[in-house]
């Protein structure tokens, strides 16, 4: 074909991602997004305020397309990949309602007997409220005696306004022990040394633990990498620890004043040299942590070790989390 006969591409007709992002941002500036179906959700790049009307806010769940095929045949013919992105702990606007906490019975939250879907605002109540129909698979599940409630003339439960799981698209369930994670089986070889027995069975939920590891080898000090400040927002019940490393691993007792440093020079069989003081609450020990971070760069300003035992450090972090009942598997 003659190259001169080929249609030229008009640059003005090519969609601009930057322009679309800016238009969506301006569209939702100062507006409220209602989560009931009917309106396209704001783009992930836009700041918006959402009101949960029974469907999860796009801040918590966002799909790759807002139009799904109505049948398996149509889905096969379209050949469009479908996916969803979930962000359970998404940051909410200060004017948005917090995620409600639902305390369940000993049996846990109501779930579909077939597909294990959780009870939600889009389920239907049948048989006078003794059974509910799953909105995902259509299966009827029997309602437990402690969860039963009569229905009104519209086949709605009389207590649905008092149950967030029947009103909101996003809720947090307090679940019984059967939902807890299980400690993994004993490995043939451990990546670290410990004298503590291996924990078995279920593992109770614990507040988050964070470890900040700083490279204090010669190259890192010359680049100023260890002079960074810590400015983060932590959950109120969490705990944090600090480790530094060059050719050895340095642990810090954050309960001591001033903070004490313990050095582990054996990087082949690493271990945790202290049981108390490694993890502290950042809110309760804020003053001590700020003083510690201020003097930390000066402690290694004359560093001469050029090696950085990163692999041993990772095994030390693993050992520290496991010895403090944290999930590090």
């Amino acid at each position: 074909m003659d190259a001169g006969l080929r249609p030229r591409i008009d640059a003005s007709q090519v969609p601009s991602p930057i322009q679309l992002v800016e238009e969506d941002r301006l569209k939702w500036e100062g507006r409220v997004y209602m989560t009931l179906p009917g309106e396209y959700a704001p783009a992930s790049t836009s700041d918006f305020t959402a009101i949960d009307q029974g469907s999860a806010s796009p801040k918590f769940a966002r799909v790759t397309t807002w139009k799904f095929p109505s049948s398996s045949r149509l889905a096969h013919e379209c050949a469009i990949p479908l996916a969803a992105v979930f962000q359970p702990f998404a940051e909410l606007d200060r004017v948005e309602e917090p995620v409600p906490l639902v305390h369940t019975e000993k049996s846990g939250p109501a779930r579909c007997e077939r597909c294990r879907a959780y009870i939600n605002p889009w389920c239907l109540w049948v048989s006078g409220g003794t059974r509910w129909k799953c909105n995902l698979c259509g299966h009827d599940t029997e309602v437990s005696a402690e969860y039963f409630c009569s229905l009104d003339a519209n086949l709605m439960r009389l207590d649905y306004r008092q149950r967030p799981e029947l009103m909101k698209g996003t809720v947090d369930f307090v679940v019984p022990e059967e939902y807890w994670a299980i400690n993994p089986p004993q490995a043939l070889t451990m990546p670290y040394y410990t004298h503590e027995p291996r924990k078995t069975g279920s593992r109770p939920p614990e507040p988050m633990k964070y470890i900040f590891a700083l490279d204090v080898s010669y190259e890192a000090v010359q680049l100023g990498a260890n002079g960074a400040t810590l400015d983060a927002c932590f959950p109120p019940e969490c705990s944090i620890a600090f480790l530094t490393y060059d050719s050895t691993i340095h642990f810090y007792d954050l309960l001591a004043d001033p903070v004490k440093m313990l050095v582990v020079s054996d990087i082949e069989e690493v271990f945790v040299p202290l049981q108390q003081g490694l993890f502290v609450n950042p809110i309760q020990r804020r003053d001590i942590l700020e003083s510690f971070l201020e003097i930390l760069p000066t402690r290694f300003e004359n560093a001469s070790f050029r090696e950085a035992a990163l692999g041993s450090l990772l095994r030390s972090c693993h050992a520290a989390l496991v010895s403090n009942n944290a999930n590090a598997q």
Side-chain angles (χ1 to χ4, degrees):
M1 180 183 292
D2 187 2
L5 298 178
R6 293 180 181 178
R8 293 186 177 182
I9 297 177
D10 187 354
S12 62
Q13 300 298 319
V14 178
S16 170
I18 298 177
Q19 180 181 353
L20 295 176
V21 166
E22 183 63 18
E23 290 177 354
D24 191 82
R25 185 189 68 82
L26 295 175
K27 174 184 175 181
W28 290 103
E29 187 173 3
R31 287 186 57 190
V32 175
Y33 174 69
M34 314 296 285
T35 64
L36 278 180
E39 186 174 15
Y40 286 108
S44 59
T45 54
S46 300
D47 292 329
F48 62 94
T49 301
I51 295 181
D52 191 336
Q53 296 179 301
S55 296
S57 166
K59 295 181 180 180
F60 295 107
R62 183 177 291 273
V63 292
T64 54
T65 176
W66 297 106
K67 298 296 184 181
F68 280 77
S70 59
S71 65
S72 58
R73 178 181 177 181
L74 182 59
H76 178 73
E77 292 177 351
C78 290
I80 299 177
L82 305 177
V85 178
F86 295 94
Q87 190 176 0
F89 302 103
E91 184 177 357
L92 297 176
D93 191 271
R94 57 185 179 84
V95 300
E96 291 180 317
E97 182 182 5
V99 176
L101 186 66
V102 179
H103 294 270
T104 61
E105 306 294 337
K106 293 183 179 180
S107 57
R111 302 184 67 178
C112 176
E113 294 174 346
R114 176 189 291 174
C115 70
R116 305 303 293 163
Y118 288 88
I119 192 75
N120 61 79
W122 305 102
C123 297
L124 300 178
W125 301 94
V126 296
S127 302
T130 60
R131 305 183 70 85
W132 59 277
K133 183 181 294 289
C134 177
N135 62 310
L136 296 183
C137 69
H139 179 73
D140 289 355
T141 301
E142 185 176 356
V143 178
S144 61
E146 60 269 16
Y147 198 70
F148 172 78
C149 181
S150 301
L151 306 181
D152 60 14
N154 297 320
L155 300 182
M156 299 290 291
R157 285 174 59 116
L158 297 176
D159 66 343
Y160 83 98
R161 293 187 181 276
Q162 286 75 47
R163 292 191 175 275
E165 70 272 23
L166 305 181
M167 290 281 294
K168 303 296 182 181
T170 303
V171 297
D172 285 334
F173 287 110
V174 178
V175 295
E177 185 175 352
E178 63 183 86
Y179 284 82
W180 295 358
I182 303 298
N183 285 296
Q186 174 71 48
L188 295 178
T189 58
M190 298 294 291
Y192 54 87
Y193 174 80
T194 179
H195 59 81
E196 297 181 355
R198 187 71 173 181
K199 296 180 177 63
T200 59
S202 58
R203 184 180 65 249
E206 298 245 350
M208 289 293 295
K209 289 182 170 62
Y210 301 90
I211 295 180
F212 294 90
L214 305 176
D215 185 353
V216 293
S217 61
Y218 176 80
E219 285 77 7
V221 172
Q222 295 301 313
L223 293 174
N226 63 343
T229 59
L230 178 65
D231 185 12
C233 181
F234 297 101
E237 297 181 355
C238 79
S239 55
I240 65 175
F242 287 91
L243 272 67
T244 54
Y245 65 101
D246 43 30
S247 61
T248 58
I249 311 298
H250 317 135
F251 294 79
Y252 295 90
D253 183 357
L254 301 178
L255 288 179
D257 189 10
V259 174
K260 297 180 180 179
M261 182 176 71
L262 295 87
V263 179
V264 175
S265 56
D266 188 354
I267 60 175
E268 297 299 327
E269 294 185 357
V270 296
F271 63 95
V272 180
L274 71 165
Q275 296 298 322
Q276 301 293 331
L278 181 61
F279 288 91
V280 296
N281 185 282
I283 299 176
Q284 298 174 357
R285 302 289 292 178
R286 181 184 180 92
D287 295 338
I288 299 298
L289 292 175
E290 288 180 348
S291 301
F292 165 71
L293 293 175
E294 287 178 358
I295 66 174
L296 185 61
T298 62
R299 179 174 290 185
F300 298 99
E301 59 184 359
N302 296 321
S304 58
F305 295 100
R306 295 183 177 273
E307 300 84 4
L310 179 59
S312 299
L313 169 81
L314 296 177
R315 291 188 283 124
S316 299
C317 293
H318 188 175
L321 291 171
V322 171
S323 64
N324 284 269
N325 300 321
N327 180 20
Q329 308 306 327

